[in-house]
Amino acid sequence: MHRTAKIAVNAAAYLLFFLFIAPVLWMLILAMKPESVVAQSLREWLFSPYTLDNFRKVLQSTNADIKLWLTNSFIVSVLSTLGVLILCAMAAFVFSRMKFAGRTFWFWLIMAGLLVPREATLIPLYLLFRNMDLLNTYFSLIAPTLAAPFGLIILKQFFDGLPEELFEAAKIDGCGWIRTWYRIALPLCRPALASLGIFVFLAAWNDFLWPFISVTDPKIMTIPVGLPVFKSQYFSTQSLPMAASAITSIPIIIVFFIFQKYIVKGIAFTGGK
Amino acid sequence: MVSKFKLRAKSKESMIAYFLLLPFIGFYLLFTFYPLMQGFFISFYEWNITSDKVFIGLDNYKELFAEDAFWQALRHTFLYVVFSTPIFMFGAFLFAVIIDHKFIKGRALLRGVFFLPNVLAVSIVSIVWISIYQPYGGLLNNVLSLFGIEGSLAWLNDKNLVWPAITGLTFWWNTGYYMILYLAGLQEIPEDRYEAAQIDGANGWHTLRYITLPSLKRIHVLVLFLQAVASFKIFGQVFLTSEGGPGGASRTYIQYIYESGFQRFLMGKASAAAFVLFLVIMLVSMLQLRLLKNVNED
């Protein structure tokens, strides 16, 4: 490619880069404006005084406990992730390596679940938890996510790719199925587990619709449900909701940059093959 | 003797298999399969949670199809799918092609920033974009005024602007995901195809048109359907920014289900609407599997 063309493509790339980072910068700028500032023009926004007071106020707010919501989000996401990984790894191993009566039936029944969007089961799911008197619990947030057909098929593909000799050798050495599962199969599929795990974690962290329906108690709220509550309590100002948004994006942005490699690999792995 | 031993070994394997499967199957049946069936049954009843269930056959469906609000929500969602999907696909493809060039400086950083919005929760995205779309003092109108476009446009409160605004927000939020899929696809195109084209004297446009685009057929199908299904389920960003307004102009299908079920407590009718959603998504997914199969056989 010509030099000028290369420069043009670079320039286009960085223009897009700037457009994409702009909303994040906007969030940070507004988060650091004193509550009283009601600026109208870009220049006023950029050059009026900056302060870190909003962050302190947000963290100390008593009628909207951001710290508690962050903790809830963390607990729910971690438990969801662990649960999905364990359940899917067990089931995937069975479908990939074991022979048993009803194998085809169960496999297709579970695969049919790929066609069922959570949104379509919202009302019966709500009624189910209401009947069990389990609305407003961590359990109601975690349980519906655990049996993920998507996770099962990803891990099954991975197990299918492992050499059969490995499992035959284990069998000859007298290694039982369960031991084969956690001593041989699990350690080998660590990369697949990591990719799937990040995926499930992000999905659980950002889930909105189901938590919004099943949780009304502020003590159990996760960040996606709590933030709109917080915003409606401070609707007269933009700076406090922005500060809250900034504070709550930071953990997930850190997670993202640490695990970027796995996220990218995970998406490529789930979509490309 | 031998067959008896084999049989016992087999039944033992079956037992262990079911033992390992039990947690998955249990949660699956209870929280996916049962609610799906239950929703289907409820859709034949008139029921507002507190009252007794009354079997009314297909009346919920008839009522649904006779209601303007239902068709309005369906039409909005459908039009959104039709108009936004090509935009998202084109954007994701463009980003991927640009940062796939080795001469782009800081490719990893660019990829990271294009993907970054994806990890933000819908509530954060909504708070930020409400502020960007503010009629007075908002970022977008401010930037537009730099180019001489004045008028304090009320992006989320104007029935002609609200869908473009939501499309823009969602573009920012989700394009990075599909970009990664395209990038993975681009990396699988064998280098010698490009080399052969170069020897034949193909220019940049030719390689894009005759090598890059056709080689990505699988990814095109994948992105098309992932995006179409996701768009059909659009809810959070609309509900939290425009709240379905102004005057229902941005009410989505999921919002219709939510309002029927959780605000008007018409459990039967909301379940009927949810079942229609399930059917649509099932049909779309099956079409996708079909197309992917054809592409793979090519």
Side-chain angles (χ1 to χ4, degrees), chain B residues 5-279:
Chain B
F5 175 75
K6 249 189 180 166
L7 206 70
R8 203 182 298 150
K10 216 175 161 189
S11 75
K12 196 181 169 208
E13 186 171 338
S14 272
M15 250 173 62
I16 297 170
Y18 275 104
F19 173 74
L20 287 171
L21 269 183
L22 195 67
F24 191 100
I25 290 182
F27 277 94
Y28 178 74
L29 289 181
L30 190 56
F31 297 116
T32 301
F33 192 73
Y34 171 75
L36 186 69
M37 294 297 128
Q38 178 78 352
F40 183 59
F41 287 124
I42 297 173
S43 74
F44 299 115
Y45 287 85
E46 189 180 309
W47 185 36
N48 69 1
I49 286 199
T50 48
S51 69
D52 287 333
K53 283 185 217 171
V54 181
F55 185 81
I56 54 167
L58 290 171
D59 281 5
N60 279 324
Y61 291 91
K62 282 184 203 150
E63 234 180 85
L64 209 61
F65 297 144
E67 194 178 3
D68 284 343
F70 168 81
W71 289 109
Q72 186 203 39
L74 188 63
R75 192 174 62 242
H76 290 157
T77 308
F78 182 74
L79 289 176
Y80 172 73
V81 171
V82 170
F83 283 106
S84 70
T85 307
I87 299 173
F88 292 151
M89 281 183 80
F90 177 76
F93 177 70
L94 183 75
F95 286 9
V97 167
I98 287 179
I99 64 173
D100 193 46
H101 285 303
K102 302 238 163 19
F103 59 78
I104 299 285
K105 307 258 184 297
R107 289 158 76 207
L109 176 74
L110 287 176
R111 192 188 62 193
V113 167
F114 290 144
F115 185 79
L116 181 67
N118 255 280
V119 305
L120 299 178
V122 65
S123 315
I124 295 173
V125 171
S126 299
I127 288 176
V128 173
W129 281 79
I130 286 174
S131 162
I132 290 173
Y133 285 142
Q134 286 287 318
Y136 300 96
L139 179 61
L140 183 59
N141 283 341
N142 261 316
V143 171
L144 287 178
S145 73
L146 294 179
F147 296 97
I149 303 168
E150 302 278 354
S152 306
L153 302 168
W155 290 93
L156 295 167
N157 273 314
D158 181 323
K159 64 177 169 35
N160 297 316
L161 294 177
V162 65
W163 279 110
I166 285 158
T167 309
L169 175 166
T170 314
F171 184 90
W172 179 76
W173 189 27
N174 287 341
T175 312
Y177 188 88
Y178 304 112
M179 175 196 73
I180 302 279
L181 287 176
Y182 272 121
L183 274 173
L186 285 172
Q187 274 155 19
E188 275 176 16
I189 302 176
E191 200 63 37
D192 51 6
R193 277 195 217 171
Y194 289 111
E195 279 160 15
Q198 224 161 22
I199 291 166
D200 290 345
N203 62 25
W205 167 248
H206 286 143
T207 38
L208 190 70
R209 171 76 184 75
Y210 295 106
I211 298 175
T212 314
L213 270 173
S215 305
L216 292 173
K217 226 189 247 170
R218 247 190 68 81
I219 310 287
H220 292 315
V221 174
L222 194 71
V223 172
L224 173 68
F225 281 92
L226 281 177
Q227 179 53 50
V229 170
S231 292
F232 211 85
K233 298 189 292 188
I234 184 174
F235 173 68
Q237 67 267 47
V238 188
F239 186 72
L240 292 171
T241 54
S242 71
E243 296 165 32
S250 62
R251 183 181 287 113
T252 61
Y253 195 79
I254 302 280
Q255 189 177 342
Y256 177 82
I257 297 177
Y258 166 74
E259 285 171 353
S260 308
F262 298 100
Q263 287 179 348
R264 293 156 69 202
F265 301 107
L266 304 168
M267 290 300 169
K269 200 165 160 192
S271 294
F275 199 73
V276 172
L277 172 78
F278 167 67
L279 287 182

Side-chain angles (χ1 to χ4, degrees), chain A residues 139-157:
Chain A
F139 184 76
S140 73
L141 293 177
I142 295 165
T145 66
L146 293 185
F150 170 76
L152 190 153
I153 195 153
I154 295 296
L155 293 181
K156 181 180 175 291
Q157 277 174 10

Side-chain angles (χ1 to χ4, degrees), chain A residues 10 14 20 26 30 40 42 45 90 99 101 106 109 113 115 118 123-124 130 206 224 238 242 256 271 273, chain B residues 13-14 18 20 28 31 35 49 103 105 111 115 119 121 123 131 136-137 142 172 188 218 222 233 270 285:
Chain A
N10 259 304
Y14 279 90
F20 260 62
W26 182 249
L30 261 61
Q40 288 298 337
L42 215 48
W45 277 123
M90 284 184 352
K99 292 185 193 73
W106 285 113
L109 188 74
L115 303 176
R118 178 103 297 152
I123 286 156
R130 191 169 168 272
N206 289 336
Q238 287 197 60
M242 281 297 187
F256 167 65
K273 293 279 170 252
Chain B
E13 186 171 338
S14 272
Y18 275 104
L20 287 171
Y28 178 74
F31 297 116
I49 286 199
F103 59 78
K105 307 258 184 297
R111 192 188 62 193
F115 185 79
V119 305
S123 315
S131 162
Y136 300 96
N142 261 316
W172 179 76
E188 275 176 16
R218 247 190 68 81
L222 194 71
K233 298 189 292 188
S285 308

Side-chain angles (χ1 to χ4, degrees), chain A residues 206-262:
Chain A
N206 289 336
D207 194 14
F208 173 71
L209 184 56
W210 173 244
F212 170 66
I213 301 243
S214 65
V215 170
T216 46
D217 179 357
K219 284 198 184 66
I220 309 295
M221 278 181 184
T222 53
I223 273 297
V225 188
L227 265 189
V229 174
F230 181 85
K231 182 177 159 281
S232 63
Q233 277 167 359
Y234 294 94
F235 61 92
S236 57
T237 146
Q238 287 197 60
S239 48
L240 283 180
M242 281 297 187
S245 300
I247 288 173
T248 49
S249 359
I250 287 164
I252 204 71
I253 289 177
I254 292 173
V255 168
F256 167 65
F257 277 108
I258 295 176
F259 293 107
Q260 214 201 116
K261 202 179 75 187
Y262 287 106

Side-chain angles (χ1 to χ4, degrees), chain A residues 52-182:
Chain A
L52 291 175
D53 274 1
N54 299 320
F55 294 105
R56 207 190 60 233
K57 264 186 219 156
V58 164
L59 288 175
Q60 286 171 351
S61 166
T62 45
N63 47 354
D65 199 337
I66 299 272
K67 277 178 293 186
L68 178 70
W69 294 339
L70 273 173
T71 315
N72 287 341
S73 273
F74 189 75
I75 292 170
V76 168
S77 307
V78 167
L79 291 180
S80 279
T81 308
L82 287 177
V84 170
L85 290 184
I86 293 170
L87 261 59
C88 289
M90 284 184 352
F93 177 74
V94 171
F95 282 119
S96 173
R97 294 287 159 184
M98 296 179 77
K99 292 185 193 73
F100 60 99
R103 186 176 184 277
T104 322
F105 169 78
W106 285 113
F107 186 69
W108 288 109
L109 188 74
I110 292 168
M111 284 306 103
L114 284 171
L115 303 176
V116 183
R118 178 103 297 152
E119 290 83 351
T121 60
L122 209 58
I123 286 156
L125 207 56
Y126 172 82
L127 296 169
L128 181 67
F129 279 98
R130 191 169 168 272
N131 286 339
M132 296 190 296
D133 206 14
L134 284 171
L135 291 171
N136 285 314
T137 59
Y138 288 147
F139 184 76
S140 73
L141 293 177
I142 295 165
T145 66
L146 293 185
F150 170 76
L152 190 153
I153 195 153
I154 295 296
L155 293 181
K156 181 180 175 291
Q157 277 174 10
F158 196 87
F159 284 135
D160 287 348
L162 296 174
E164 181 61 34
E165 294 83 27
L166 211 67
F167 295 93
E168 272 164 19
K171 209 175 185 178
I172 290 165
D173 289 347
C175 192
W177 282 111
I178 293 178
R179 237 170 83 135
T180 312
W181 175 68
Y182 77 82

